[in-house]
Amino acid sequence: MHAGFNGTVTIDIFDAERTLTTKPTGDDPEINFQELGERVYTGSAEVRDGHFTLNAAMPAELSQNWRPGAIGAFAYSAVANIEAAGLFRDFYLYGYDDEAEPDDKAPQIDQMVLNHNTFRSGDTVNDSPMLIATVSDNVGINISTAGIGHQLTATLDGTKTFTDLAFYYTPSADGSPSGVINYPFDNISEGLHTLSLRVWDTSGNSVRREIDFFVSPGLAPKIYDIYSDANPASTMANFYLSHDQPDAMVTVEVTVYNLVGSPVWTGRASGRSDMFLSVPVSWDLTDGAGRRVNRGIYLYRATITADGQSYETATRRIAVTAR
């Protein structure tokens, strides 16, 4: 990386490439093509002056086929608003470390909730909740999907198992062997359910945790707050609404009032929630006719619409100052 780059890098390591063959139809010939192996590691690290260090613990489920692997890197600097990406193929993944210290310590599921960290086992949720689980280990979380029986899995009611959780795992930015699983479920039937989560580390140790929940289709989102990113505001204010239905499609309408209760401005935005926050509704501090509002205190509140139902927030205050 550039010597002056400071930010965060996320690394994905893929197992050795493999040869796959198409299944022909009719008179079409078979075609061989190369594909990257399974993703066997993902992690993040801080970048300082273009340099970073990352310790990557490999799972036992490597193909050992003596062909090149791949390292994908994505780096970003929020301060400088710079992004960088790259791919490296000149390396191999194989063998075992005979001198590695034995690891018999199981990983930890530090948090396991549905939709929001205020969830408690037995609570009621909508029929498309999101599993949010924070996991950690002393060596490394096994995110490989190659090893049958050693995958990140969720099991619903002891009968239906989901094996693709690794694709919804985000590593911690500090480089530690930990991360968050954000896994969306869809159309779970009404009633009481049990959900279990099993997490493996790269040494073959595992941990299991279980929660109960009740599904109520069409459950209204629980609104926690509405706030502005600028208060007092001098040029622009973005309104955000926090709620408990991550990844939901919502419409948010914000109305600003003067102190005598007359509407001054109304704005609307629709889109998919960014976890617990709605899409922002931006106000340029003008009234409905496009004129700059006077300095002073204003009131605002919002209406959120999800699944065809609308719900109002409490009223908040915002101060408008001179430019």
Side-chain angles (χ1 to χ4, degrees):
M1 293 185 186
H2 190 277
F5 185 92
N6 294 286
T8 302
V9 62
T10 298
I11 297 292
D12 289 320
I13 300 179
F14 298 87
D15 202 356
E17 67 179 16
R18 55 196 175 187
T19 301
L20 299 180
T21 303
T22 60
K23 293 182 178 180
T25 58
D27 296 329
D28 295 334
E30 292 185 348
I31 299 175
N32 295 328
F33 63 96
Q34 312 306 312
E35 183 182 72
L36 292 177
E38 303 287 347
R39 189 179 66 156
V40 295
Y41 173 83
T42 183
S44 297
E46 181 182 3
V47 182
R48 293 184 178 180
D49 293 328
H51 295 84
F52 67 92
T53 300
L54 199 66
N55 294 320
M58 293 292 100
E61 298 84 9
L62 296 178
S63 61
Q64 309 283 354
N65 71 0
W66 306 90
R67 296 176 68 178
I71 298 178
F74 173 77
Y76 65 92
S77 171
V79 175
N81 195 25
I82 297 175
E83 296 181 353
L87 183 69
F88 179 68
R89 297 295 308 274
D90 191 17
F91 80 105
Y92 298 85
L93 287 169
Y94 59 86
Y96 301 91
D97 184 1
D98 296 329
E99 299 181 359
E101 293 291 331
D103 173 27
D104 57 2
K105 185 176 181 180
Q108 297 185 85
I109 301 175
D110 303 304
Q111 182 188 51
M112 180 182 177
V113 300
L114 292 177
N115 287 343
H116 198 269
N117 57 18
T118 58
F119 172 88
R120 297 295 179 266
S121 184
D123 282 356
T124 300
V125 299
N126 59 320
D127 60 356
S128 298
M130 177 178 287
L131 168 65
I132 305 170
T134 304
V135 300
S136 60
D137 188 61
N138 61 319
V139 177
I141 299 294
N142 189 348
I143 56 91
S144 173
T145 57
I148 298 177
H150 284 184
Q151 299 170 316
L152 286 171
T153 57
T155 303
L156 183 64
D157 298 328
T159 57
K160 186 174 183 179
T161 299
F162 302 83
T163 60
D164 57 344
L165 271 69
F167 299 107
Y168 297 84
Y169 173 81
T170 302
S172 297
D174 61 4
S176 64
S178 62
V180 177
I181 302 166
N182 294 307
Y183 189 80
F185 291 96
D186 190 35
N187 294 325
I188 300 178
S189 61
E190 184 175 5
L192 184 63
H193 296 275
T194 298
L195 181 68
S196 64
L197 172 66
R198 184 174 291 277
V199 178
W200 294 81
D201 66 13
T202 54
S203 302
N205 306 302
S206 71
V207 63
R208 179 179 177 274
R209 186 166 169 178
E210 186 175 279
I211 56 175
D212 298 318
F213 63 100
F214 191 91
V215 167
S216 176
L219 180 70
K222 183 180 292 185
I223 298 172
Y224 293 100
D225 200 7
I226 182 174
Y227 66 90
S228 169
D229 63 357
N231 195 359
S234 59
T235 58
M236 177 75 69
N238 294 305
F239 298 103
Y240 294 88
L241 190 148
S242 63
H243 55 88
D244 69 344
Q245 291 194 10
D247 204 38
M249 290 296 298
V250 297
T251 297
V252 177
E253 181 178 280
V254 176
T255 300
V256 177
Y257 304 84
N258 59 28
L259 290 180
V260 297
S262 299
V264 173
W265 173 88
T266 297
R268 183 184 294 107
S270 298
R272 190 169 297 279
S273 295
D274 181 9
M275 289 303 290
F276 309 124
L277 292 180
S278 67
V279 290
V281 178
S282 299
W283 181 36
D284 61 0
L285 309 188
T286 61
D287 61 18
R291 298 167 299 197
R292 167 82 180 197
V293 299
N294 296 325
R295 297 169 56 187
I297 303 296
Y298 294 84
L299 307 176
Y300 66 93
R301 67 183 178 193
T303 300
I304 180 173
T305 301
D307 295 327
Q309 302 183 64
S310 298
Y311 314 91
E312 286 192 346
T313 70
T315 301
R316 296 286 184 265
R317 292 190 174 200
I318 184 171
V320 174
T321 63
R323 295 178 187 269

